[in-house]
Amino acid sequence: MLHQPFTSVRLVLFPEVLESQPNAPILQLFSLLIAAIGDQGLKPTAKSNLPRNFCRDSALAYWDEKTHQERTRYGGINREEDFFDLHVTRLVAELAGLIRKYKGRFILSRDCRRLLAEGGLAVVYSRLFKAYAEQFNWSYRDGYADLRFIQQASLFTLYLLTRHGDTWRSQTFYEDAFLQAFPIVLNDVPPSPLFTAEEDLRRCYTWRTLVDFVGSFGLAEVETVSDDILCHEYRVKTLPLLGNAVQFQLSKINPHGGEA
């Protein structure tokens, strides 16, 4: 679960082709990227980022009007990093080998075009999922300490969601379960003048695992209950995509060894 999540087929399966076309925020952004690249490619900026106008248009298409106003209240979208979800999607798509730069333009890889032709986003999803889980550095998305173990234990959280996510539960439920299973991670949290190690770990865990990973990949609804600047509160409930994309096989394993 911690060291070989994608190769332990007796524990969990990650279908390469989903049963139906999935719906997830990261796929919405990737679809915008696909459309913009098209057959001619998309010319990057001098810093090799996505062009400003595309980022602005994508933000308008992705966010509703209220969200757009809130996200741009203190500054507009003048570069790719200003629309960070799109920025992350581009980076993950590159890690997954779906897009690349060729002759000064972003293009879709041959593999990506083949996958889209064979099954559309139902095939591409698993590539993005695996690249995000294994290759992308989760700490890049926030200001918390590295705490790599949170990412390494992502399958543990998916197991918790599979077992308990059919009803709304607060993020505290999943934080408690993570801390109970892996209390030693507290030793990796650097000291803070404002918060205890446990408070920092809880916030980091919820943001990286539930909001950024589970929410972005459409595996669960992650709904804001309170957006207090010092204490965001969420409630979480799984979506059908979780069971399609992550299929645990624990019922087939005999606890004394071998298959049941």
Side-chain angles (χ1 to χ4, degrees), residues 1 14 16 58 62 93 105 112 120-121 132 142-143 150 152-153 162 172-173 201 210 213 235 237 243 246 258:
M1 184 173 284
F14 299 92
E16 293 186 1
S58 296
Y62 180 70
R105 304 183 79 85
C112 181
L121 297 178
Y132 190 92
D142 56 60
I150 290 177
Q152 185 179 346
T162 299
T172 305
F173 174 86
L201 181 59
L210 300 180
F213 176 43
R235 64 175 190 163
K237 184 179 180 182
V246 186

Side-chain angles (χ1 to χ4, degrees), residues 253-259:
I253 303 299
N254 188 316
H256 301 292
E259 297 186 358

Side-chain angles (χ1 to χ4, degrees), residues 91-124:
L91 294 176
V92 174
E94 288 185 307
L95 289 172
L98 299 173
I99 67 171
R100 63 189 181 94
K101 294 188 185 78
Y102 178 71
K103 292 186 177 181
R105 304 183 79 85
F106 287 108
I107 66 167
L108 301 180
S109 68
R110 289 182 180 179
D111 202 25
C112 181
R113 292 185 181 279
R114 177 183 61 81
L115 293 172
L116 290 172
E118 290 178 354
L121 297 178
V123 184
V124 168

Side-chain angles (χ1 to χ4, degrees), residues 52-206:
R52 181 180 62 182
N53 287 342
F54 167 67
C55 295
R56 288 178 172 177
D57 292 343
S58 296
L60 288 169
Y62 180 70
W63 290 325
D64 58 39
E65 183 177 351
K66 179 181 178 182
T67 302
H68 188 275
Q69 290 177 350
E70 291 175 350
R71 295 294 184 92
T72 58
R73 182 185 308 171
Y74 302 109
I77 296 174
N78 297 308
R79 55 178 186 161
E80 181 181 319
E81 290 87 346
D82 292 335
F83 186 4
F84 210 72
D85 289 343
L86 177 62
H87 175 56
V88 168
T89 299
R90 193 265 292 179
L91 294 176
V92 174
E94 288 185 307
L95 289 172
L98 299 173
I99 67 171
R100 63 189 181 94
K101 294 188 185 78
Y102 178 71
K103 292 186 177 181
R105 304 183 79 85
F106 287 108
I107 66 167
L108 301 180
S109 68
R110 289 182 180 179
D111 202 25
C112 181
R113 292 185 181 279
R114 177 183 61 81
L115 293 172
L116 290 172
E118 290 178 354
L121 297 178
V123 184
V124 168
Y125 180 88
S126 64
R127 290 291 190 94
L128 292 170
F129 181 94
K130 186 175 182 180
Y132 190 92
E134 287 196 316
Q135 297 174 263
F136 181 72
N137 180 7
W138 288 13
S139 65
Y140 179 66
R141 297 189 74 167
D142 56 60
Y144 293 103
D146 186 52
L147 299 177
R148 174 73 183 184
F149 187 81
I150 290 177
Q151 182 171 353
Q152 185 179 346
S154 59
L155 186 58
F156 173 76
T157 296
L158 296 179
Y159 175 68
L160 291 176
L161 287 163
T162 299
R163 290 287 304 273
H164 307 289
D166 56 338
T167 59
W168 287 106
R169 296 181 187 271
S170 73
Q171 93 268 14
T172 305
F173 174 86
Y174 296 100
E175 294 170 356
D176 288 344
F178 180 82
L179 281 165
Q180 183 178 0
F182 310 111
I184 197 171
V185 182
L186 288 168
N187 296 335
D188 296 332
V189 181
S192 166
L194 298 177
F195 304 106
T196 66
E198 181 174 326
E199 288 171 335
D200 266 343
L201 181 59
R202 284 178 178 273
R203 288 186 177 90
C204 182
Y205 170 81
T206 289

